[in-house]
Amino acid sequence: MPRSVSRSSVGTGEEGDKLSLPIAEIAAAVRAREVTAVEAVTSALARIAAVDAELCAFREVWGEAAVRRAREVDVRVAAGERLPLAGVPLAVKGRYGERAADAVRLIAAGCVPVGATSVPAPGTPWQTWGLGAGGRTVNPWRADRVPGGSSAGAGAAVAAGLVPLATGADGAGSIRIPAAWCGVFGLKSTNGRLPHPDRTGLSAVGAVARRAVDLGAYWRCVAEEGDEECESVRRPLTALWSDSLGFARSDPGPALVAHGAALRLDGAGVVRLLPPDDAVVRLDDPGPAWLALRAPGAGGGGGGARGANTGGGDTAAAHRLRAANDRRLAELFSRADLLLTPTTPNPPHGHEGPGDRYSTALTWAFNLSGHPAASIPAGFGPDGCPVGLQVVARHGEEQVLLRVMAEAEEQAGLAGC
């Protein structure tokens, strides 16, 4: 439990116990009429009221609307409708998060949005922070540190137990970084797998949860698929470790903790780490290409426009770098099922900013390439803050990532806070 945020006054009683369950079990309890959706949502709202003045994870809390929607879920359940996520309290990213493709499907499945989580405000070039209704969002583990971003409130709210699930969007690490720094699980989907309005194609939908199994329930709902994995995946899953991807400079603290988590996965039989000589992980720094594709007037960077020169020398160079890294990653994934790295090269920074460090150094490569990626809680660094282990899979293999996350939690003891 995060020591910087007190939860002693919330989550007590029968409803609080229900909210501590996996989200599929919360929904099962609502469907069985053991607890109502109104009770589940009211419990979440009570947690938010008790804690969020300190945490500032929410930009808006939709109390009356959430209770009204919960009543509607209870009516649907009473009428015999089987809602897979009936009554599960949900936080959505930003003021317009209800419109996101995954949120629409979650709400249709019975989730009840209780509010909009914080995101960065204008005025900083760095996006690893958030501004809630009461001020800057704090890291639940250390109030003098940021929670990561741009899905800042999502990571903080889930880590502090205000909601069991929060949606996000990941354009450079915006789900994986707050998941890592808040000590929870985060999933970025394959770019283009689900609709996203980002003109560049660099952003993908995803979510943050305290349990790996909850991200599995999230994905089954939003992707509308079962638990089947790609038949071509080898057993056991093979993995390559890199703390730099060939260009980044990782601090020793996060790198050692993340590598220790990778060794635990190997020791538990979740993965088989390959010797470094089996495939050299050496990408070009994706930063300049990412920034060029994000620049105003650069045009689309995803989908069919991926290989096109959309004008400007920087954009043309960006496409060349992207193509070169894509070739290297294709070769890497022909030799291994997974790539493991620290989620970030640095620990959570203070509210004054990261200085000259790019916290995205190890994540935005996979927004450029489009690969699905996850952050798994790896442990704690010397500063007392959580560290994440990034796991990257082949395009379209979210189910592989979900399997690794679940086994990391169940077999290797890499659990959320």
Side-chain angles (χ1 to χ4, degrees):
M1 180 186 299
R3 61 178 177 270
S4 290
V5 175
S6 171
R7 298 196 303 185
S8 60
S9 61
V10 292
T12 58
E14 183 179 354
E15 291 83 6
D17 291 340
K18 293 297 184 187
L19 280 183
S20 69
L21 297 171
I23 61 174
E25 294 185 27
I26 295 173
V30 171
R31 291 194 302 270
R33 315 299 291 277
E34 296 170 3
V35 64
T36 67
V38 169
E39 289 170 335
V41 167
T42 300
S43 182
L45 292 170
R47 292 179 185 226
I48 295 168
V51 173
D52 201 50
E54 181 182 356
L55 194 65
C56 299
F58 281 86
R59 183 162 184 128
E60 298 176 357
V61 178
W62 305 323
E64 292 183 5
V67 172
R68 184 177 65 252
R69 283 179 157 178
R71 288 196 189 101
E72 293 169 358
V73 168
D74 285 329
V75 169
R76 294 168 67 186
V77 168
E81 190 171 351
R82 192 186 183 284
L83 300 172
L85 296 179
V88 173
L90 172 72
V92 298
K93 181 178 180 178
R95 184 169 293 167
Y96 305 109
E98 289 179 280
R99 303 178 186 177
D102 56 346
V104 169
R105 295 180 186 182
L106 291 168
I107 294 167
C111 282
V112 178
V114 297
T117 53
S118 66
V119 295
T124 63
W126 46 282
Q127 298 288 293
T128 43
W129 68 290
L131 184 65
R136 288 189 176 230
T137 309
V138 303
N139 189 304
W141 294 91
R142 277 189 59 169
D144 64 336
R145 304 295 175 90
V146 298
S150 60
S151 302
V158 168
L162 308 189
V163 288
L165 180 70
T167 62
D170 191 313
S174 297
I175 289 172
R176 290 161 286 164
I177 293 171
W181 287 356
C182 292
V184 293
F185 291 89
L187 173 68
K188 167 206 168 292
S189 61
T190 303
N191 290 53
R193 183 82 185 264
L194 292 172
H196 191 281
D198 177 27
R199 64 173 177 81
T200 67
L202 295 171
S203 291
V205 302
V208 177
R210 294 183 71 200
R211 290 182 174 85
V213 67
D214 289 344
L215 285 179
Y218 160 85
W219 187 250
R220 286 192 298 275
C221 178
V222 303
E224 299 175 340
E225 62 181 35
D227 295 322
E228 300 82 7
E229 293 178 15
C230 178
E231 294 181 358
S232 65
V233 173
R234 296 168 287 207
R235 306 290 182 115
L237 294 167
T238 54
L240 284 164
W241 164 261
S242 175
D243 63 4
S244 70
L245 296 178
F247 61 85
R249 176 178 55 86
S250 291
D251 291 353
L256 286 172
V257 174
H259 188 232
L263 293 174
R264 287 175 67 176
L265 292 181
D266 181 89
V270 178
V271 305
R272 179 169 63 86
L273 283 172
L274 298 176
D277 293 342
D278 277 21
V280 178
V281 182
R282 186 171 293 122
L283 304 181
D284 290 332
D285 184 352
W290 190 97
L291 293 168
L293 293 172
R294 276 287 194 192
R306 241 184 104 157
N309 181 348
T310 55
D314 287 346
T315 306
H319 287 300
R320 288 195 295 270
L321 185 150
R322 174 186 244 172
N325 277 355
D326 282 353
R327 289 193 294 271
R328 292 166 184 156
L329 287 168
E331 170 63 18
L332 184 153
F333 283 113
S334 73
R335 297 173 179 268
D337 299 309
L338 302 167
L339 174 60
L340 310 181
T341 79
T343 303
T344 65
N346 56 320
H349 56 77
H351 294 279
E352 71 280 358
D356 61 356
R357 298 299 300 275
Y358 274 106
S359 304
T360 55
L362 297 169
T363 51
W364 56 5
F366 308 107
N367 296 89
L368 205 63
S369 69
H371 288 84
S375 184
I376 293 174
F380 293 86
D383 60 352
C385 288
V387 173
L389 172 68
Q390 179 174 229
V391 185
V392 187
R394 300 182 184 94
H395 293 113
E397 292 193 354
E398 285 84 359
Q399 290 289 356
V400 173
L401 292 178
L402 292 165
R403 169 191 160 192
V404 171
M405 283 190 278
E407 292 181 358
E409 187 172 28
E410 296 164 4
Q411 299 178 26
L414 299 176
C417 62

